[in-house]
Amino acid sequence: MKKFIMLLLAGVMLPLSVAMAQGSVRGKVVDEATGEPIEFVNVVVNTKAGNTMAGGTITDEDGGFRIDGLDYGSYVLTVSYIGYRNATREFTLTAAAKNAHYKQIALEEDNNVLGEVEVTGIRAQMKFEIDKKVFNVDQAIAATGGSASDILQNIPSVEVDTEGTVSLRGSESVTVWINGKAQGLTADNQGDILEQMPAESIERIEVITNPSAKYSPEGTVGIINIVLKRDRKAGYYGSAQAGASMYDTDFGGYNASANINYSSGKLDAYANVSYRERHHRNENTSYRKNYLGADTTYLDQLGQGQMNGRNLFARSGLTWHMTAKDHLSLDLMGMMGSPRRYNTTEYWGGQIVGGEQHQQYTRQRSTTSTGEMRMYNISLGYKHEWSTTHWIDFTASRHHWGNSSRNVYIDSTSREGIPTYGSYQLQESEGSNVDYEVQLDYENAFTENHKLQAGYRGSFTRDNSPVSTYADPDKREEIEALYNRFIYIRDLHALYATYSGKLWKRFGYQVGLRGEYYAVSTDSHHKKDGVISTHPETIDPVLQFFPSVFLSYQLPGDNELQVNYTKRVRRPWGGQLNSFHNISDSTNISFGNPLLKPEYSNAFELNYLKSWENHMLSVSAYYRTTDDIMQRISYMENGIMYSTSDNVAQSLSSGVEIVGKNRLFGKVDLTTTLNMFYYKLEAFDFLLPNGTNLHGDASEDFSWNLRMMGTVGLPKAWSLQVTGMYNAKSVIAQGYRAPNYGLDAGVRKQFAGGKWSLSLNGRDLLNSRRFHSEKWSQDFYQNSSNFRGGRQITGTLTYSFGNMRAKKPRKMDNGGMQPEYGGGDGLEYDM
């Protein structure tokens, strides 16, 4: 193992030799009319041959700039700033004249920009890259005042259920990142974090359906990367928002946020803070028949409740440009919240005789959950750029997630109207997840058509989740059978390398290999007669390799074909391995499986891209086989349904995803996504924890989903956005999920020169986002439905401020004469 790591590290570090830089260019930028210096002007140097960027900076408060590290050769200097015409200068550096100096470069006002012109535009929502689809959501009206979960529900092929679980192309085996890293998101806490993360902090969503070896292989159907805003325009600028929501006629909460950015030649800084309070209604129904030999019983239940959540989300960061080539950054992110959940469930049960139900008992269960949630991430980074196409980037980060909860369960049972049973349970937990991550990435584009990428990633996770349960509110009588402390430790080392190139101007390729060394250990603590026993489990460390191959061919007329192959993995997370029984509903008990194994997939994709001036079409055909697929299974024991996860069988998934992007009438942006897929789950037969055998027949299904998003630019700075979606019936283990559909819409008005904007958006306008499923086996049949939130209307007011265009310099008091600066070129060479 050590030899393997040393060899791959050597492969990463060998290409890091570079030539020493030779010269520099410096100067001063002024306003042509007044002669006063202009701050925050963009200055870029490109090579004259090849037009590649060699360096760049912005001017300081005196209008000065300096760009070092330029090799000998000929260059084009471009000076640009909002409200002025661009200025360009050509210069050459040699051994005899290695430092170019412009005494001044005078910028002329652009009257076409500075006039009173109203411009209404909508930023493109979607673009295609070779290995991913990118959705710009910073202008998404329908998500204003919402959460990251709301944003994701408007992304093609992505779905978020009522529990916050994210799926891609119909599969939950998807990895969710924030800014290219896991940031502590797991299957256990992902829903809570995405629900509380404000939508206005998100710039774009990247959907990577078949990631190359550069990326983590976790998630068999791909990666969803949430990229948070961090603009780097010159000057200072920011915005403040305030909004309120309603669910039907009920108050739904409010939100307020503020952010500010500052950028200069040496420092980039940003800060964001957001406070949110949300009130959700939820409802679930279930009807179950239990087949107990010759007898059939039934259980009918209705649950209703409310979730109240308030949280504070904050981010800040600082980048120090030590030189034109060296950048040091520090980023902080934190979140704290206090969710409150209240739920009451009514049960009616009895026997079924001759097809008729005979009610024998009623039961009521109330649940009150309170808690505190804390999350923070600190990241330190260093990047060295030999050029814009040759750099090395190092990042070290620490992420912490903590969640304390207090759950009170009160049961009462009546038979024929006479109370016969009552119980009280108080359950407390204090979960903690700490993750350390180190990442080193190297990239070198040797030529315009050939590029090497290589790097290392180390991830070290520590989970600790103690749970105690008591039979009284004073915690004097502990229920030892429900005591659990689960410790999860995971270490991962990964090395990757990819090489991409182009042949014959039209044929492109990328090949890659990723090696991962993975080690996991767990320890479940139980209590009996006051004595705590430990039950450690160690998964044998493994070294695995994940290859990737991408091929593309550029056809005439802006047509492109792509074919790719990757190997993927979905490893069980901590909570899925924990054998602790969740008793929040004593008739439906769930628990983890410490013997759960990873599932592995081989994924193939064939993509076709065609673009026109105002239209774009993408057709993706995919085929994926998965071994040891992890699925939720259910079984009956003593009238109680138990649910856990197991490796049930092999699955096959194939389909076609069609995405169309159209610009109509110069005003309408329409994005349409149609996903048609075939899914087959092989038959399974294995032993349940209670010693009985569970058999599942092979099942197959053809399903589809459709999503359309339209954005319209209207006169007088109005804009409208409407999103509709439909998901057809689909197969799940032991049953199916019924169709569902939804409609969202939003409208925005900008006024006061764009400084103010008011938006009004509605989510789930048809009140139709309900999830219904049916499941069955040899000993039960169950249908259930649930929803959270329902119809929601949100209004948000936004104010933008700052000097994104600096104040126009005042004219000098010299009798109306222009200052004498010699015409504005003044190029000198320092020998």
Side-chain angles (χ1 to χ4, degrees):
M1 179 60 201
K2 291 182 179 178
K3 291 182 178 180
F4 167 76
I5 294 177
M6 291 177 65
L7 286 172
L8 279 180
L9 279 175
V12 173
M13 301 306 294
L14 278 175
L16 302 184
S17 58
V18 295
M20 294 296 292
Q22 303 295 329
S24 67
V25 60
R26 59 191 175 96
K28 183 176 183 178
V29 180
V30 300
D31 181 278
E32 183 184 60
T34 66
E36 290 194 9
I38 310 177
E39 188 181 4
F40 303 123
V41 175
N42 293 306
V43 183
V44 177
V45 173
N46 290 316
T47 58
K48 192 172 181 180
N51 193 32
T52 59
M53 185 174 174
T57 186
I58 60 176
T59 58
D60 58 26
E61 61 184 4
D62 297 320
F65 68 88
R66 182 184 180 96
I67 299 175
D68 297 308
L70 301 176
D71 295 334
Y72 297 155
S74 297
Y75 297 94
V76 177
L77 177 78
T78 302
V79 180
S80 60
Y81 192 64
I82 299 174
Y84 291 87
R85 298 183 188 275
N86 289 357
T88 59
R89 302 288 187 270
E90 295 184 8
F91 65 95
T92 301
L93 301 181
T94 65
K98 59 183 180 181
N99 297 307
H101 177 207
Y102 288 92
K103 287 184 177 180
Q104 66 141 38
I105 299 177
L107 294 186
E108 177 187 359
E109 288 184 352
D110 188 346
N111 293 325
N112 291 329
V113 175
L114 295 179
E116 294 295 328
V117 179
E118 181 181 354
V119 180
T120 301
I122 299 172
R123 185 176 174 184
Q125 299 169 344
M126 179 179 179
K127 67 177 181 179
F128 296 89
E129 297 183 6
I130 188 170
D131 58 352
K132 60 189 172 187
K133 298 181 180 71
V134 181
F135 301 88
N136 294 310
V137 298
D138 56 338
Q139 300 297 319
I141 304 170
T144 303
S147 67
S149 294
D150 298 330
I151 282 277
L152 289 173
Q153 291 192 38
N154 286 301
I155 300 300
S157 301
V158 178
E159 187 175 350
V160 183
D161 67 15
T162 57
E163 301 300 319
T165 303
V166 180
S167 60
L168 176 63
R169 288 179 174 173
S171 173
E172 297 176 7
S173 179
V174 57
T175 297
V176 180
W177 282 347
I178 300 174
N179 287 341
K181 297 182 176 61
Q183 305 276 31
L185 265 70
T186 70
D188 301 327
N189 61 33
Q190 174 181 282
D192 290 331
I193 292 179
L194 296 180
E195 175 63 26
Q196 298 186 64
M197 180 178 293
E200 57 266 19
S201 68
I202 301 174
E203 177 179 313
R204 65 183 186 274
I205 305 290
E206 298 176 344
V207 178
I208 311 171
T209 53
N210 214 14
S212 71
K214 177 181 178 179
Y215 301 97
S216 167
E218 284 281 357
T220 53
V221 297
I223 298 169
I224 298 174
N225 184 29
I226 301 173
V227 181
L228 303 181
K229 292 179 180 177
R230 187 180 176 179
D231 295 333
R232 285 190 176 180
K233 302 171 186 175
Y236 75 91
Y237 50 95
S239 64
Q241 281 189 339
S245 303
M246 291 188 66
Y247 292 95
D248 289 331
T249 58
D250 299 329
F251 176 64
Y254 59 88
N255 65 87
S257 65
N259 69 86
I260 187 168
N261 294 263
Y262 171 79
S263 182
S264 69
K266 282 293 183 181
L267 293 176
D268 292 325
Y270 69 93
N272 169 265
V273 62
S274 175
Y275 178 82
R276 295 164 53 78
E277 182 163 335
R278 306 190 82 183
H279 305 279
H280 287 302
R281 293 184 295 107
N282 61 79
E283 180 179 296
N284 61 84
T285 63
S286 175
Y287 178 78
R288 186 170 74 228
K289 292 181 180 180
N290 306 318
Y291 308 117
L292 308 173
D295 297 326
T296 301
T297 65
Y298 77 93
L299 180 65
D300 197 1
Q301 69 181 68
L302 169 64
Q304 294 179 312
Q306 184 176 4
M307 186 194 81
N308 302 330
R310 56 176 63 94
N311 76 288
L312 183 69
F313 177 85
R315 298 173 56 238
S316 64
L318 179 69
T319 299
W320 175 29
H321 304 290
M322 298 180 291
T323 70
K325 305 292 186 181
D326 300 281
H327 315 279
L328 187 66
S329 62
L330 174 67
D331 294 274
L332 305 171
M333 180 171 65
M335 181 188 297
M336 57 192 303
S338 53
R340 305 286 188 269
R341 294 179 175 89
Y342 310 94
N343 195 79
T344 300
T345 305
E346 302 280 350
Y347 302 86
W348 303 268
Q351 287 190 322
I352 299 177
V353 180
E356 294 186 0
Q357 295 184 170
H358 297 271
Q359 182 175 318
Q360 296 176 318
Y361 67 89
T362 62
R363 183 167 169 242
Q364 184 180 76
R365 181 177 180 83
S366 67
T367 302
T368 302
S369 301
T370 59
E372 300 293 333
M373 182 271 292
R374 302 163 304 279
M375 181 270 283
Y376 72 83
N377 178 273
I378 179 171
S379 178
L380 181 66
Y382 169 74
K383 185 174 185 179
H384 178 76
E385 298 175 300
W386 292 279
S387 70
T388 56
T389 59
H390 185 197
W391 48 263
I392 188 168
D393 193 359
F394 173 79
T395 305
S397 61
R398 183 185 192 273
H399 185 92
H400 177 265
W401 160 267
N403 183 33
S404 61
S405 64
R406 186 178 190 271
N407 304 305
V408 176
Y409 309 107
I410 300 177
D411 282 349
S412 62
T413 303
S414 300
R415 292 186 177 271
E416 298 180 355
I418 301 174
T420 58
Y421 176 76
S423 70
Y424 175 95
Q425 289 182 347
L426 166 62
Q427 189 176 86
E428 294 182 333
S429 64
E430 187 75 34
S432 175
N433 168 280
V434 178
D435 186 77
Y436 298 90
E437 188 169 299
V438 178
Q439 187 156 335
L440 177 69
D441 294 301
Y442 170 76
E443 183 172 311
N444 189 358
F446 305 109
T447 67
E448 184 179 354
N449 295 325
H450 294 273
K451 179 170 67 176
L452 171 70
Q453 295 175 311
Y456 163 81
R457 174 175 174 257
S459 179
F460 314 97
T461 300
R462 305 293 183 265
D463 275 359
N464 187 359
S465 305
V467 178
S468 299
T469 307
Y470 305 89
D472 67 300
D474 298 323
K475 299 192 293 187
R476 289 176 296 194
E477 183 182 347
E478 183 176 5
I479 306 175
E480 292 186 341
L482 298 178
Y483 173 85
N484 179 255
R485 182 186 178 195
F486 184 69
I487 298 174
Y488 172 82
I489 299 174
R490 187 202 69 170
D491 292 339
L492 184 146
H493 300 271
L495 288 163
Y496 76 88
T498 69
Y499 189 88
S500 56
K502 209 166 191 180
L503 300 175
W504 310 303
K505 294 185 178 181
R506 292 188 177 273
F507 178 73
Y509 64 90
Q510 184 194 85
V511 293
L513 181 64
R514 186 182 186 94
E516 291 199 347
Y517 178 79
Y518 184 82
V520 169
S521 64
T522 67
D523 194 353
S524 188
H525 296 203
H526 304 284
K527 183 183 289 188
K528 184 176 182 181
D529 298 329
V531 178
I532 297 176
S533 59
T534 61
H535 304 271
E537 294 279 350
T538 300
I539 300 174
D540 293 334
V542 292
L543 173 62
Q544 298 165 315
F545 294 93
F546 300 91
S548 67
V549 179
F550 289 75
L551 305 174
S552 66
Y553 187 76
Q554 188 72 42
L555 299 170
D558 291 326
N559 292 268
E560 185 174 354
L561 281 175
Q562 299 175 350
V563 62
N564 54 64
Y565 160 77
T566 64
K567 182 179 179 181
R568 309 286 298 164
V569 64
R570 181 190 182 193
R571 300 181 176 107
W573 201 259
Q576 293 176 296
L577 301 172
N578 187 1
S579 58
F580 174 70
H581 287 48
N582 184 341
I583 62 168
S584 58
D585 182 350
S586 58
T587 63
N588 296 278
I589 296 177
S590 61
F591 60 96
N593 179 4
L595 301 179
L596 200 60
K597 298 182 295 184
E599 61 181 52
Y600 295 92
S601 294
N602 291 291
F604 301 84
E605 277 197 13
L606 176 63
N607 300 314
Y608 169 74
L609 300 176
K610 167 63 178 176
S611 60
W612 299 266
E613 183 177 354
N614 293 308
H615 309 280
M616 180 178 289
L617 174 68
S618 166
V619 181
S620 300
Y622 56 91
Y623 178 88
R624 183 175 67 250
T625 60
T626 305
D627 296 322
D628 292 325
I629 186 170
M630 294 184 286
Q631 288 266 340
R632 296 291 291 176
I633 60 161
S634 302
Y635 62 93
M636 298 297 301
E637 184 176 350
N638 299 324
I640 298 173
M641 174 171 284
Y642 291 85
S643 299
T644 187
S645 297
D646 216 318
N647 302 100
V648 295
Q650 184 185 61
S651 72
L652 181 151
S653 180
S654 62
V656 177
E657 182 181 61
I658 302 172
V659 180
K661 174 76 176 174
N662 301 281
R663 180 77 171 176
L664 306 175
F665 315 115
K667 291 284 187 180
V668 180
D669 277 328
L670 183 65
T671 302
T672 306
T673 304
L674 174 63
N675 186 22
M676 300 174 291
F677 56 92
Y678 168 80
Y679 179 78
K680 181 178 182 180
L681 181 66
E682 301 291 349
F684 54 88
D685 204 349
F686 56 87
L687 195 66
L688 292 169
N690 63 358
T692 61
N693 189 70
L694 176 66
H695 172 76
D697 295 326
S699 58
E700 56 183 333
D701 177 47
F702 173 80
S703 188
W704 59 277
N705 56 63
L706 175 68
R707 189 185 306 265
M708 297 184 70
M709 176 186 289
T711 304
V712 185
L714 302 174
K716 303 297 183 181
W718 285 88
S719 53
L720 172 69
Q721 188 178 86
V722 180
T723 302
M725 49 77 66
Y726 178 84
N727 294 313
K729 177 182 175 181
S730 59
V731 165
I732 58 176
Q734 297 179 277
Y736 73 89
R737 188 173 67 182
N740 63 79
Y741 59 93
L743 179 67
D744 301 334
V747 63
R748 174 184 290 151
K749 164 66 175 175
Q750 291 185 328
F751 50 94
K755 289 186 176 181
W756 292 88
S757 67
L758 178 65
S759 64
L760 184 68
N761 66 74
R763 181 179 175 273
D764 196 13
L765 293 175
L766 304 178
N767 209 22
S768 57
R769 276 199 177 98
R770 297 171 182 264
F771 292 85
H772 177 84
S773 65
E774 294 193 25
K775 300 179 71 174
W776 57 84
S777 73
Q778 61 266 31
D779 54 6
F780 78 91
Y781 162 82
Q782 175 177 289
N783 68 63
S784 59
S785 65
N786 58 76
F787 88 97
R788 182 183 65 180
R791 185 184 294 112
Q792 176 186 352
I793 306 296
T794 301
T796 304
L797 181 66
T798 302
Y799 171 70
S800 301
F801 60 89
N803 68 339
M804 295 175 64
R805 182 203 186 286
K807 184 185 297 184
K808 180 180 175 181
R810 293 178 301 172
K811 293 189 177 182
M812 298 179 65
D813 186 13
N814 60 354
M817 299 191 58
Q818 299 294 335
E820 298 178 2
Y821 284 107
D825 285 321
L827 176 62
E828 295 181 346
Y829 284 96
D830 300 331
M831 305 304 178

